[in-house]
Each structure stands twice: as structure tokens, then as C-alpha cells.
């Protein structure tokens, strides 16, 4: 099925097609030994369509011609019954897309088991008694085509390691390493830090009830900022799913906090 020709024939005011294929390689380890290995590839298509003040968005992984046909018809049916709302048309292309070259094809064949071993050994050397976690490498291909003349493609890679080190029955420590290229990936550092934290957690001490200044580590702060970034999405706000919905012109953060959406930041996962 030729998606573009099908959507062109539907007299839509706007449409966009995004094709994405993701290959994910994953290793899971427990008690300092590998326990699970997985290598899978998933392809999907996302379609956006708009007409007469109505919009609809959907994704399908059924790429058979009959499956795509049914998917488009279902989207069109939902579009006709969706409520009308004010919306901006897709920007007119063509556009010039660039890539910062921050991708690493070597992740398709990299020895992930060896990387896990380095992390485990570093954690044990730092004092941990046993180590668990996951290592995931992903390679993503994207392509977009819109009714407004935008065309482009992209290739992204990333590798993520989460290490949980244990010391005794209850004490544990966590750290991670993420990168877009192998040369920036630091499994030893993640393992060592997780191991050190597990040792420090062995003898917790009570503190008095009160008000304290708290310094957040990178992983805690990143979890918060990730949610803030998600909720700052125009799509999330427009759909009413964001904490920032109907907050225009209101103060939503402390002075001095700045969040920048940088689509091509070096070593930025999914950038």
C-alpha cells in the first residue's frame, strides 16, 4: 500500500507520515552473572491527519498492506467524529535537515557481554558483594514525509547501562552510564560508583526531623527534568495531558531555571 497516495486521495488539509525502525539489544544480569539476552527489531508507522478543524494521530506496527489500509480507515473514521478545535497547519517545506553525526553503527555488533563484565568487576572491586542490572543498545532509523513538503530521515544510536550493587542484606547503590557512541560509554565508572554507594549504605544513621537542603544526584535530577521536558511538549499541552496546560504567562519554575530543547546536542540520547 502506498501510504502517501492513499492520504493524498482523502482530501485532507494536513497529513504527516513517520516511519521508524528500532533494533534493541538487551542484556540483563543478576547476582553478578548474565541471565537474559534479547535482540529484537520493531518497525512502526505513525500518521497524523487533519481536516476541517479536526485532528487525529495514531501508530501501528501492522505493516502489511491490509493492516495499513485498515489502520488508515480507522484513523479517518475517528477523525470525522473528533471535536473541532483551533490548530496550526503544518509548516511549508522543503526544509534542510542536518545530522551532527552523533551515531555509532558499531553498537549493532558490539560485545555487550564484555561491557557488562567490566561494570560488574568494577562494582565488586569497590566493595559490592553482588551486582545486578541491565544493558541496552538501540539503533533507530526514522523517516518523515508531510503534505506540506517536508521530507527527511535520521539515524540514531544509544547505549544505556543501569547497575545496582548490593552489600549485605539491605544495602545497595545505583549508578548508570549512557552514551550515543562507544568511546563515551563508561561501564567501569557506573559499576564503581554503584559499588561505593552500596558500601556507604551499609550503616545508615538516623537524622533529626527538620528542614534540610538536599543536593540531588544526576540520576534523580534527570528523572525530574525528563518529566518536565515531556510536559513542555506542545503536543502534550494541546492534548491536555501536561501539567503546563492553561499555564501560559504563569510562573511555573524558580528563578534561574532554564530548560532548552536542543535537537542535536552532542551525546544526547534521541537527539
Amino acid at each position: 500500500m502506498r501510504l502517501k497516495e492513499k492520504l493524498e486521495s482523502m482530501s485532507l488539509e494536513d497529513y504527516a507520515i513517520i516511519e521508524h525502525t528500532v533494533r534493541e539489544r538487551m542484556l540483563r544480569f543478576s547476582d553478578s552473572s548474565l541471565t537474559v539476552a534479547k535482540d529484537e527489531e520493531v518497525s512502526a508507522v505513525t500518521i497524523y491527519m487533519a481536516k476541517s478543524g479536526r485532528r487525529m494521530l495514531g501508530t501501528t506496527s501492522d505493516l502489511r498492506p491490509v493492516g495499513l489500509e485498515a489502520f488508515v480507515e480507522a484513523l479517518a473514521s475517528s477523525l470525522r467524529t473528533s471535536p473541532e478545535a483551533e490548530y496550526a497547519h503544518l509548516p511549508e517545506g522543503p526544509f534542510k535537515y542536518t545530522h551532527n553525526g552523533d551515531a555509532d553503527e558499531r553498537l549493532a555488533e558490539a560485545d555487550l557481554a564484555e561491557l557488562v563484565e567490566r561494570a560488574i568487576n568494577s562494582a565488586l572491586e569497590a566493595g559490592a558483594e553482588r551486582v545486578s542490572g541491565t544493558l541496552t543498545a538501540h539503533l533507530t532509523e526514522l523517516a518523515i514525509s508531510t503534505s506540506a513538503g517536508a521530507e527527511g530521515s535520521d539515524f540514531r544510536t544509544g547505549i544505556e547501562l543501569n547497575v545496582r550493587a548490593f552489600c549485605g542484606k539491605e544495602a545497595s547503590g545505583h549508578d548508570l552510564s549512557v552514551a550515543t557512541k562507544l568511546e563515551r560509554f563508561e561501564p567501569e565508572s557506573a559499576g564503581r560508583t554503584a559499588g561505593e554507594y552500596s558500601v556507604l549504605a551499609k550503616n545508615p544513621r538516623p537524622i533529626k526531623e527538620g528542614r534540610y537542603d538536599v543536593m540531588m544526584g544526576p540520576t534523580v535530577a534527570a528523572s525530574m527534568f525528563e518529566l518536565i521536558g515531556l510536559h513542555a511538549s506542545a503536543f502534550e499541552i494541546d492534548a491536555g495531558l501536561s501539567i503546563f496546560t492553561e499555564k501560559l504567562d504563569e510562573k511555573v519554575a524558580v528563578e534561574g531555571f532554564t530548560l532548552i530543547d536542543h535537537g542535536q546536542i552532542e551525546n544526547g540520547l534521541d537527539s
Side-chain angles (χ1 to χ4, degrees):
M1 177 187 181
R2 295 181 177 273
L3 274 178
K4 195 164 185 177
E5 286 81 350
K6 174 67 176 179
L7 295 174
E8 287 282 356
S9 70
M10 296 171 65
S11 301
L12 299 167
E13 293 176 17
D14 286 304
Y15 70 78
I17 305 167
I18 301 177
E19 301 173 73
H20 33 107
T21 297
V22 181
R23 181 187 173 194
E24 182 178 277
R25 304 176 62 205
M26 186 273 287
L27 292 180
R28 188 165 66 204
F29 49 103
S30 180
D31 287 332
S32 307
S33 300
L34 291 175
T35 56
V36 177
K38 183 180 73 172
D39 190 332
E40 66 177 9
E41 184 172 286
V42 177
S43 296
V45 170
T46 296
I47 294 178
Y48 166 83
M49 55 177 64
K51 184 177 182 179
S52 303
R54 295 181 170 89
R55 295 165 296 166
M56 191 54 55
L57 177 76
T59 300
T60 181
S61 57
D62 185 355
L63 304 186
R64 300 171 302 154
V66 63
L68 289 173
E69 181 83 27
F71 172 63
V72 171
E73 293 299 332
L75 269 186
S77 177
S78 298
L79 177 69
R80 288 190 291 270
T81 58
S82 65
E84 292 187 30
E86 182 180 354
Y87 76 97
H89 289 283
L90 294 176
E92 292 290 334
F95 302 104
K96 182 179 180 181
Y97 295 96
T98 61
H99 191 281
N100 60 10
D102 204 20
D104 194 341
E105 295 184 3
R106 295 174 298 171
L107 288 174
E109 305 296 335
D111 187 348
L112 301 188
E114 189 265 341
L115 297 175
V116 166
E117 183 179 6
R118 285 159 55 184
I120 292 174
N121 290 340
S122 291
L124 296 176
E125 291 170 2
E129 297 174 5
R130 57 193 187 282
V131 190
S132 300
T134 59
L135 174 64
T136 304
H138 54 86
L139 301 92
T140 304
E141 295 179 75
L142 295 163
I144 186 171
S145 178
T146 78
S147 55
E151 304 276 347
S153 61
D154 194 15
F155 176 62
R156 306 170 180 172
T157 62
I159 183 166
E160 306 168 41
L161 169 69
N162 276 278
V163 183
R164 174 68 65 177
F166 299 88
C167 200
K169 290 184 178 181
E170 298 181 354
S172 71
H174 169 267
D175 200 36
L176 54 77
S177 179
V178 299
T180 55
K181 290 187 173 184
L182 278 172
E183 57 262 31
R184 302 194 191 110
F185 187 56
E186 300 178 341
E188 290 93 349
S189 176
R192 181 172 57 256
T193 301
E196 291 172 349
Y197 285 168
S198 73
V199 174
L200 291 172
K202 284 181 67 176
N203 299 301
R205 297 188 302 271
I207 61 173
K208 294 181 180 180
E209 181 179 345
R211 189 180 185 92
Y212 296 88
D213 291 329
V214 177
M215 181 177 292
M216 295 182 182
T219 56
V220 178
S223 294
M224 295 181 61
F225 294 154
E226 179 184 27
L227 291 174
I228 293 172
L230 172 65
H231 285 278
S233 158
F235 175 83
E236 295 288 319
I237 294 171
D238 188 52
L241 303 174
S242 170
I243 60 175
F244 300 124
T245 299
E246 298 182 356
K247 297 291 185 181
L248 191 64
D249 295 326
E250 293 187 24
K251 183 177 179 179
V252 295
V254 297
E255 295 292 338
F257 175 75
T258 302
L259 180 67
I260 299 174
D261 183 5
H262 193 318
Q264 291 195 342
I265 190 168
E266 189 171 321
N267 205 32
L269 293 183
D270 295 326
S271 181

